[in-house]
Amino acid sequence: MVLNYIWIAFFVLAFIVATIRLVFFGDAEVFPDIINSTFASSKSAFEISLGLTGVLALWMGIMRIGEQGGVIALFSRVLSPLFSKLFPDIPKGHPVTGSIFMNMAANMLGLDNAATPLGLKAMEGLQELNPKKDTATNPMIMFLVINTSGLTLIPISIMVYRAQLGAAQPTDVFVPILIATFISTLAGIIAVALYQRINLLNRTILLFLGGATLFIVGIIWFFSTLSQDQIDLYSTTFANVFLFVIIIGFIAAGIRKKVNVYDAFIEGAKEGFTTAVRIIPYLVAILVAIGVFRASGCMDYLTQGIASLVEMCGLNSDFVGALPTALMKPLSGSGARGLMVDAMSAYGADSFVGRLACIFQGSTDTTFYILAVYFGSVGVAKTRHAVPCGLLADLAGILAAIFVCYLFF
């Protein structure tokens, strides 16, 4: 419903601004520009979706090998001590824990569309434990906020978009996204823990979150000592090595379990292909709306207005061009994806704005969309503190994205 209003608003505002430009300023080119943008945006959306098909098929296939090879179960056992503290109302050993982890794993790999069915399955399991079916439970809210904070270790789709749009090093945003999304997730966990009175000073939580925090701080300190060329080299090399190690590790685990890794890969890849095809109409719809919005001049007026306000406060306004992606992300993943692509197309994939838009895209997730879909799927109407905690995580992710982008680029 929210995306419906946003989509309509793009066209209505574009029409109003274009009419004003034509009537009061005699700009006869504005409406031809708008129509041309619809054709160009439609073509761009299809080409992007087509290019994404292979990568989604690859990583869905690798994920299926990891699942059948026992890697997912191993991760569940490793994370069980942490989960039992963050989700104290879930009985130990309950199968919903596995569904929660699978959803998080898909998010960590940047497979947004693959994460949704896994998240719905987890919500169904949590609803079985819910004594008040119309009210969100504490585990539901913790799960949703971690989900909406968008914890991403491997932003595959973002790197693919960067490659398609001509980035010299598509993986150079890997480490910045890792830092921003971790800060967003940490802020979300702290916010929910305060509401639910979960003791974050628990030894297990401190070991996991404290260790992860020190690791991220160490990354920030290390990269702050490097030159720009060294930052590009180290972050790109680490990202590529890490990705290849995951592929080899999942395949090795499948062989060890005597899994037919080829058949497992094909089975998962079919899901990836289906997912890629399914997003084509959504991407066409949002990119056309954004193209019309930009061609009418609305986007320029919006960013110029924000930039003027920021400059009046004495701040650097270089980040403003990417801000539409950050503002859209809590409302719509496809909308934010379209704005990210639009920013890279308009400013360049390797520009500061293009990179920051990618970091915004990877730092948080679609808060309102996830809350609506996940809670709606199980009939939960009373969301309690899920929305404020999710928005706090989003704000932390946006601020962290701006900071790390200035640090790295």
Side-chain angles (χ1 to χ4, degrees):
M1 184 63 71
V2 172
L3 185 57
N4 176 55
Y5 292 135
I6 293 172
W7 198 71
I8 293 172
F10 274 147
F11 282 98
V12 171
L13 289 173
F15 177 76
I16 292 173
V17 171
T19 302
I20 291 173
R21 288 176 59 183
L22 176 64
V23 173
F24 292 98
F25 300 100
D27 189 351
E29 297 297 323
V30 61
F31 280 101
D33 288 344
I34 288 176
I35 297 302
N36 290 336
S37 73
T38 63
F39 296 113
S41 299
S42 299
K43 179 181 178 182
S44 176
F46 178 76
E47 291 174 347
I48 290 170
S49 300
L50 190 64
L52 193 61
T53 302
V55 177
L56 274 176
L58 167 65
W59 282 97
M60 290 293 285
I62 295 297
M63 281 286 289
R64 184 56 58 87
I65 294 173
E67 181 181 354
Q68 296 185 10
V71 178
I72 304 302
L74 174 63
F75 287 161
S76 296
R77 288 195 298 272
V78 171
L79 293 173
S80 179
L82 176 63
F83 276 24
S84 66
K85 303 300 181 184
L86 291 178
F87 302 93
D89 296 337
I90 298 178
K92 289 186 178 181
H94 195 281
V96 73
T97 304
S99 298
I100 290 174
F101 176 76
M102 285 292 293
N103 167 264
M104 291 181 180
N107 276 326
M108 289 176 185
L109 291 174
L111 302 173
D112 301 337
N113 294 283
T116 300
L118 297 171
L120 294 176
K121 183 178 180 181
M123 285 299 292
E124 290 174 1
L126 291 172
Q127 182 70 336
E128 293 175 2
L129 302 172
N130 187 1
K132 297 181 180 179
K133 300 302 182 183
D134 66 337
T135 304
T137 62
N138 285 348
M140 283 182 174
I141 294 173
M142 179 63 82
F143 169 63
L144 261 294
V145 171
I146 292 175
N147 216 292
T148 61
S149 69
L151 181 60
T152 304
L153 295 182
I154 311 173
I156 298 298
S157 60
I158 293 176
M159 291 189 287
V160 171
Y161 287 126
R162 287 184 54 72
Q164 289 178 319
L165 292 170
Q169 292 291 347
T171 57
D172 59 7
V173 296
F174 175 84
V175 173
I177 288 176
L178 174 62
I179 295 171
T181 190
F182 174 78
I183 292 175
S184 174
T185 301
L186 186 61
I189 291 174
I190 292 173
V192 176
L194 291 175
Y195 268 100
Q196 299 181 3
R197 298 182 180 179
I198 295 174
N199 181 18
L200 292 179
L201 299 180
N202 177 278
R203 180 182 176 184
T204 302
I205 295 178
L206 285 177
L207 285 174
F208 272 87
L209 299 185
T213 301
L214 289 175
F215 175 71
I216 296 298
V217 170
I219 290 178
I220 295 174
W221 174 82
F222 174 70
F223 279 97
S224 68
T225 64
L226 302 178
S227 66
Q228 184 61 56
D229 291 339
Q230 289 175 317
I231 288 175
D232 292 341
L233 175 63
Y234 278 93
S235 60
T236 301
T237 301
F238 174 77
N240 291 325
V241 170
F242 186 55
L243 292 175
F244 192 64
V245 166
I246 286 179
I247 294 174
I248 296 300
F250 277 31
I251 292 174
I255 294 173
R256 182 175 176 273
K257 287 284 188 177
K258 297 182 179 179
V259 173
N260 187 326
V261 293
Y262 180 79
D263 287 347
F265 177 85
I266 295 300
E267 182 182 348
K270 289 178 180 178
E271 290 187 23
F273 179 82
T274 303
T275 299
V277 172
R278 191 163 55 242
I279 70 172
I280 291 176
Y282 300 98
L283 197 57
V284 170
I286 198 64
L287 282 185
V288 168
I290 292 169
V292 168
F293 190 73
R294 178 176 285 279
S296 69
C298 287
M299 187 70 77
D300 292 335
Y301 296 143
L302 176 63
T303 54
Q304 288 169 8
I306 296 176
S308 298
L309 182 62
V310 171
E311 290 169 356
M312 285 173 59
C313 297
L315 302 174
N316 186 293
S317 62
D318 291 347
F319 69 91
V320 173
L323 202 56
T325 303
L327 298 177
M328 178 64 72
K329 192 62 192 283
L331 301 173
S332 165
S334 58
R337 188 184 304 117
L339 287 168
M340 175 191 72
V341 172
D342 186 68
M344 286 192 287
S345 300
Y347 294 92
D350 288 330
S351 65
F352 179 84
V353 170
R355 285 168 166 152
L356 179 55
C358 294
I359 300 172
F360 279 146
Q361 176 72 4
S363 63
T364 61
D365 214 324
T366 51
T367 299
F368 289 106
Y369 171 81
I370 290 174
L371 290 172
V373 171
Y374 285 20
F375 280 145
S377 68
V378 294
V380 170
K382 300 176 182 178
T383 60
R384 299 171 62 208
H385 49 276
V387 173
C389 289
L391 292 178
L392 282 173
D394 290 341
L395 178 60
I398 290 171
L399 295 177
I402 295 172
F403 170 77
V404 296
C405 197
Y406 276 109
L407 174 65
F408 278 75
F409 305 116

